Amino acid sequence: MSAITPEIVEQHGLSPEEYERVLHALGREPNLVELGIFSVMWSEHCSYKSSRLHLKKLPTEAPWVICGPGENAGVIDIGDGQAAIFKMESHNHPSYIEPYQGAATGVGGILRDVFTMGARPIANANALRFGRPEHPKMKHLVKGVVAGIGGYGNCVGVPTVAGETNFHPAYDGNILVNAMTVGVADADKIFYSAATGVGNPIVYVGSKTGRDGIHGATMASADFGEDAEAKRPTVQVGDPFTEKLLIEACLELMATDAIVAIQDMGAAGLTSSSVEMATNGKAGIRLVMDNVPCREEGMTPYEMMLSESQERMLMVLKPGKEPMAEAIFKKWELDFAVIGEVTDTGHMVLEWQGEVVCDIPLGPLAADAPLYDRPYLSKEEYKAWAQVKPLGDIPQSTDIGADLLKLMASPALASKRWIYEQYDRQVGGDTLQTGGDAGVVRVHGTKKALAITTDCTPRYVYADPYEGGKQAIAEAYRNLCAVGARPLAVTNCLNFANPQRPEIMAQLVHALEGMGEACRALDFPIVSGNVSLYNESKATGGGSAILPTPAIGGVGLIDDYAKMMTLNGMQEGDEVYIVGRDLVGQLGQSLWLREVCGREHGPPPPVDLSDELAIGTGIRRAIEKGVVSAIHDISDGGLLVAAAEMSLAAGIGMGIENYNDHLADFAFAFGEDQGRYLVTTNSFVELCEAIGEIRGEKVPVHFAGFVGGTSLRIVDAGVHVELSDLRAANERFFREWMEG
């Protein structure tokens, strides 16, 4: 086999220092197969070498957490002997190169992460970020990504119930596609990935291995150059119908006692799945590459180990269970092959055509992979670098009604109907709510329901990573409370640019600090997640980094779905209240400031975590007691946008009375103060009694107006916008863009 040159090392994404570590680990020069295995296992995508140090600071435990980070997905107890299993993953780089397959295989991969632990997937969600709509490639990317998500999820039969879609120039050269899956399993039948039992057979099941996706993990761990199109072969190709068969076959086998360990083949394919299983089980592994089912002629061990072909799983079975397992997989028309065994050597050994073609100690591959404490700016240094201009003098709004119409028509707030109508939201028959503050899905055969939300405000995180990280968690918490769910746990997808730049590393470190503080204060632990770095592109000229985007996936539990709350249940004559602290009118980094004034100035609104906890608890209590008819959290666009969204959802108007005499009308209308909900009820006294106190004081409940009519009004400010005009503005963007 040819000698490893510095050029070959560089092509594999390893630095000279990392290659020296490989030489030290092996005590010799690696061959190409071994180099390829080190390359993918030490990639950012698999090793988290730039983030592991800081991820350890996140809270991951609670009495209801069964399994936190480190497995395929997080597991929480939802009572009655049942568990919810969920995770969020990125498929950013593949989706930019080949949007349909990139997004589709992102959905397929996250589904496998969940059902590999024994859960039947019951819901999907997503968080999408695109560049400027006028960018020449953006319409193609949006169409492809949405079609890929819908095409895969719809065919597999898992409803897509929640998500968010944002547009910003920072994503012109590097879009973000984050996919989330939630499943339900029996709490005593959860499957883990630790390979144990020397001599136990290792079996490969699912689709055959092809040459698609080779070096996908390495590609996802580097920024984009001018050659993005040339990376198309590193994008995997998905088959949702095979995935559906794989789900059913795995769940059927899981109902027996045959499985010792199971792992899906995701990033880095057969390499990462086998290394992780052996490492978690503190064992060794021997694979006979001749036995790997291949769909292409002449595939080498290098190609087999690095392929990211989809719909494949690796299992360790109990001895003698192979014939039964094979019968199940053959019945479902899937490949089944015994390709190796668990050993006690602590090494990964690969054999091919009677020869050993790889022998690597497992320690350096996984547990002892490189770990970097990369330099990062302090909060003050970051502030100086980011140069976010102070808020300064704010232009006065000359027409609040016109501003509202402009906001509701903007890509940020425009109706996403064009997107969600491509997703099957009702398949399975258990979907209770989509399109509100959170998606809600019934736990089949019970009164329980799971609420699911995805949240992040990247413009806040860029302006102040610490406050932005706090806000992302608080927003997810608020959205779950707003539908009546008790927030239980978080998964995340940490999307950032090049961590070798101290300013980008500062975004990651300070955002994690804010997230961790919020999770601790709200008793809302992080149980799974994904880190996606190097999301920037040289191709757009000058090195374009994304906005820091720590996307949050929140999951909560509703004990009785009959008490689920929506934002569209208000009735004529209901009173409208704002629940939360007195309005300050925070316009820094607000959507109004950006969309109407063309500025991205000022600090983001601060988050008071003790207020969030108390107010959220009070909101849930009011829902539980049945004293409210509709609730919406107040976030992007402020109070008037929340009121508009509630009115459009219910098809009924609302009259708001300005209770804040000290504020300018536009700050009252569009300020993005945190920790607030807009609530409708027919009983103020019962609402106040249910909501309770914060630190010994009554939670502020402000009268804001009445439900009724065919328009949205701020009475004192003379604002009057017909719902028909609001709806027309809100529905316009996607229709005109996609038809244009």
Side-chain angles (χ1 to χ4, degrees), residues 221-543:
S221 305
D223 54 15
F224 276 152
E226 303 288 349
D227 60 343
E229 288 299 317
K231 293 182 176 178
R232 196 175 294 271
T234 62
V235 179
Q236 312 91 328
V237 178
D239 179 351
F241 299 106
T242 300
E243 181 104 334
K244 175 62 174 170
L245 299 177
L246 189 58
I247 291 173
E248 299 304 331
C250 286
L251 291 176
E252 183 174 337
L253 186 60
M254 286 166 168
T256 72
D257 65 344
I259 298 174
V260 174
I262 180 168
Q263 175 80 31
D264 83 295
M265 294 192 219
L270 188 51
T271 292
S272 65
S273 55
S274 55
V275 168
E276 286 167 14
M277 288 177 83
T279 301
N280 291 345
K282 298 180 172 58
I285 196 163
R286 183 180 74 89
L287 301 180
V288 179
M289 304 309 293
D290 311 70
N291 295 350
V292 174
C294 293
R295 68 167 180 261
E296 299 180 46
E297 289 293 321
M299 287 191 69
T300 65
Y302 178 93
E303 293 171 321
M304 293 179 213
M305 291 303 290
L306 301 191
S307 166
E308 293 185 9
S309 293
Q310 297 291 287
E311 293 86 41
R312 302 179 301 156
M313 311 284 277
L314 201 62
M315 297 182 183
V316 176
L317 299 183
K318 293 179 179 176
K321 299 293 185 179
E322 301 95 322
M324 177 189 67
E326 182 172 14
I328 289 172
F329 282 90
K330 294 297 185 188
K331 180 185 80 173
W332 290 101
E333 300 180 351
L334 296 166
D335 274 278
F336 177 97
V338 178
I339 64 167
E341 64 180 358
V342 178
T343 68
D344 60 1
T345 63
H347 281 232
M348 167 186 265
V349 176
L350 308 180
E351 298 174 7
W352 188 51
Q353 296 179 350
E355 295 184 6
V356 173
V357 292
C358 168
D359 187 345
I360 302 177
L362 285 162
L365 275 183
D368 302 323
L371 176 63
Y372 296 128
D373 185 0
R374 298 200 185 276
Y376 58 91
L377 304 181
S378 69
K379 289 174 184 171
E380 286 305 311
E381 289 168 336
Y382 176 80
K383 192 175 178 181
W385 172 85
Q387 294 184 323
V388 175
K389 292 181 180 177
L391 200 53
D393 292 332
I394 302 166
Q396 299 289 306
S397 173
T398 56
D399 189 335
I400 289 175
D403 289 355
L404 175 64
L405 287 169
K406 185 171 184 177
L407 275 174
M408 295 298 286
S410 71
L413 294 177
S415 166
K416 306 302 188 291
R417 180 188 304 277
W418 180 88
I419 293 177
Y420 65 68
E421 284 187 345
Q422 297 186 55
Y423 303 153
D424 191 332
R425 294 169 288 156
Q426 299 298 332
V427 63
D430 284 320
T431 303
L432 301 175
Q433 181 177 167
T434 64
D437 283 314
V440 182
V441 181
R442 175 172 43 214
V443 178
H444 196 75
T446 75
K447 288 187 173 183
K448 295 179 299 194
L450 292 173
I452 301 151
T453 184
T454 59
D455 296 285
C456 184
T457 313
R459 64 184 187 275
Y460 290 0
V461 188
Y462 179 83
D464 185 332
Y466 169 73
E467 281 295 338
K470 273 168 61 179
Q471 191 274 341
I473 296 291
E475 171 84 1
Y477 182 87
R478 214 178 300 138
N479 280 338
L480 296 172
C481 290
V483 298
R486 185 169 74 256
L488 289 179
V490 168
T491 184
N492 61 56
C493 204
L494 304 175
N495 307 274
F496 292 84
N498 187 338
Q500 295 176 53
R501 294 164 53 193
E503 62 274 15
I504 302 300
M505 200 62 207
Q507 293 173 346
L508 175 62
V509 172
H510 301 317
L512 283 172
E513 184 185 347
M515 288 167 55
E517 185 176 331
C519 288
R520 278 184 284 272
L522 300 173
D523 213 2
F524 199 26
I526 292 176
V527 297
S528 62
N530 168 238
V531 180
S532 174
L533 303 179
Y534 296 94
N535 288 292
E536 58 184 82
S537 171
K538 297 185 180 76
T540 53

Side-chain angles (χ1 to χ4, degrees), residues 71-94:
E71 272 291 341
N72 286 288
V75 186
I76 57 172
D77 188 338
I78 58 170
D80 307 311
Q82 291 180 304
I85 300 180
F86 58 97
K87 190 181 181 186
M88 185 185 253
E89 276 268 9
S90 62
H91 232 222
N92 303 334
H93 285 36

Side-chain angles (χ1 to χ4, degrees), residues 627-638:
V627 300
V628 292
S629 54
I631 293 179
H632 194 13
D633 92 297
I634 300 174
S635 55
D636 277 350

